[in-house]
Amino acid sequence: MLYVIGLGLSDEQDITVKGLNAVKSCERIYLEAYTSILMVQKEKLEEFYGKKIILADREMVEQKSDEILKDADKINVAFLVVGDPFGATTHTDLILRAKQLNIKVKPIHNASIMNAIGSSGLQLYNFGQTISIVFFHENWRPYSFYDKLKINVNLELHTLLLLDIKVKEQSWENMARGKLIYEPPRYMTVNQALDQLLEVENAKKDNVINSNSICCGIARVGSDDEKIVSGTIEELLEIDFGAPLHSLILCGKMHFLEADYLKTFAVNVETFNKYASIFDN
């Protein structure tokens, strides 16, 4: 069987009991290592599980999935995913490949950023489409996410923005020359995401956001040093959110209970009250 096991968001202890039992039954264990990261090293997981772990980068998962699925119809194989098994389309693709080979698949769920974002106090059913923001490059500055953001804003819904990470990525130059030289890992910060949002707004000029829009930055959600800060875009641009991973919420219209909770993380309560959009009842 192929087990696709969610690890949760923080460290080795976030795995579920069901997931841990499945890991212990497996002969090969892979850790997906490019759509997200845990806040502990692979060795810490190995010590906790009592098992060796193989790091699976983008190339292995997308181009060499046969190595992962080899003999999974005869032995148990685990594919470990930060967050929940269905947090990325790559994982869905691996499951489809397994099913085409008549390999039994068992997903084991866990917390992901999609539900842990409730730590902000904003209700999950008041969120619209989730948006991904990638690093802008000199010759590639995709603005396509702006239209989805505009829809959410017009519907007065909150927007969760997932921020780019670059792990084992090539530069444009090395890719063009066919050189297998990889860049150091990069993780987008809340500040970088806000800068890019303002750039797109300045280009599009549709009044979707402005420097006084209320938002919330979250870093290392689920960990002991989780950081949550709310305020205007202008205020959050000055906040140091520390180590990765970071996420960002652009707030829509809030129930007063949402506002009361989110306000506990505010840079400045006065500006929060001034610019937040709140339902009366």
Side-chain angles (χ1 to χ4, degrees):
M1 180 177 289
L2 173 69
Y3 287 101
V4 185
I5 303 170
L7 299 182
L9 293 166
S10 181
D11 57 33
E12 74 280 5
Q13 296 186 54
D14 281 354
I15 192 170
T16 64
V17 174
K18 184 181 289 186
L20 182 59
N21 288 336
V23 166
K24 290 181 179 295
S25 76
C26 292
E27 294 190 27
R28 289 201 316 276
I29 301 164
Y30 297 89
L31 173 63
E32 189 265 88
Y34 67 91
T35 62
S36 190
I37 58 167
L38 277 182
M39 294 168 214
V40 293
Q41 298 299 312
K42 174 176 75 81
E43 291 74 19
K44 195 78 171 177
L45 298 181
E46 291 176 329
E47 180 184 352
F48 189 72
Y49 300 156
K51 293 274 189 174
K52 287 292 182 183
I53 295 174
I54 303 165
L55 283 180
D57 59 17
R58 181 187 296 272
E59 181 182 358
M60 173 177 279
V61 177
E62 294 183 351
Q63 301 176 26
K64 301 178 182 178
S65 61
D66 290 346
E67 293 182 21
I68 297 173
L69 299 176
K70 183 180 179 181
D71 296 327
D73 55 338
K74 305 179 184 71
I75 63 173
N76 287 343
V77 175
F79 185 72
L80 309 181
V81 177
V82 177
D84 186 80
F86 293 101
T89 54
T90 300
H91 312 146
T92 306
D93 183 64
L94 181 68
I95 291 170
L96 286 172
R97 291 171 186 265
K99 290 186 174 184
Q100 289 167 2
L101 296 171
N102 294 318
I103 295 169
K104 293 180 180 179
V105 179
K106 175 68 174 176
I108 299 177
H109 297 282
N110 209 322
S112 76
I113 190 61
M114 300 295 288
N115 60 344
I117 204 68
S119 297
S120 63
L122 299 175
Q123 296 299 312
L124 299 179
Y125 49 74
N126 288 334
F127 279 79
Q129 298 181 73
T130 298
I131 294 171
S132 296
I133 297 188
V134 300
F135 280 111
F136 285 175
H137 296 275
E138 182 179 351
N139 299 316
W140 188 62
R141 310 181 84 76
Y143 291 177
S144 56
F145 66 85
Y146 184 85
D147 292 333
K148 291 182 180 180
L149 183 61
K150 183 177 179 179
I151 291 171
N152 288 351
V153 170
N154 288 340
L155 292 172
E156 299 183 321
L157 297 171
H158 312 312
T159 304
L160 170 61
L161 299 109
L162 303 178
L163 310 188
D164 199 9
I165 71 172
K166 297 292 187 186
V167 179
K168 202 177 180 182
E169 296 278 343
Q170 293 178 268
S171 68
W172 292 97
E173 181 180 357
N174 286 328
M175 192 180 300
R177 295 181 177 180
K179 294 182 178 180
L180 285 177
I181 300 173
Y182 298 104
E183 299 294 294
R186 289 192 296 153
Y187 307 96
M188 184 180 288
T189 65
V190 167
N191 320 79
Q192 290 170 319
L194 291 172
D195 276 332
Q196 292 190 182
L197 281 172
L198 291 174
E199 175 184 325
V200 179
E201 178 60 50
N202 288 335
K204 293 278 192 176
K205 301 185 185 304
D206 271 357
N207 297 315
V208 173
I209 61 167
N210 58 62
S211 61
N212 292 323
S213 296
I214 294 293
C215 53
C216 177
I218 297 185
R220 300 171 302 283
V221 62
S223 70
D224 291 337
D225 65 341
E226 174 183 272
K227 185 165 187 171
I228 304 176
V229 183
S230 64
T232 65
I233 288 179
E234 183 177 25
E235 288 171 336
L236 263 61
L237 279 169
E238 302 301 318
I239 301 297
D240 180 1
F241 284 87
L245 293 171
H246 295 186
S247 300
L248 177 64
I249 305 168
L250 185 66
C251 300
K253 201 162 190 176
M254 290 175 270
H255 185 274
F256 68 89
L257 288 177
E258 291 181 291
D260 285 348
Y261 198 103
L262 188 62
K263 195 187 304 181
T264 65
F265 306 114
V267 175
N268 184 301
V269 172
E270 284 189 19
T271 54
F272 185 96
N273 288 334
K274 181 178 180 179
Y275 295 111
S277 179
I278 302 172
F279 287 106
D280 293 331
N281 52 49

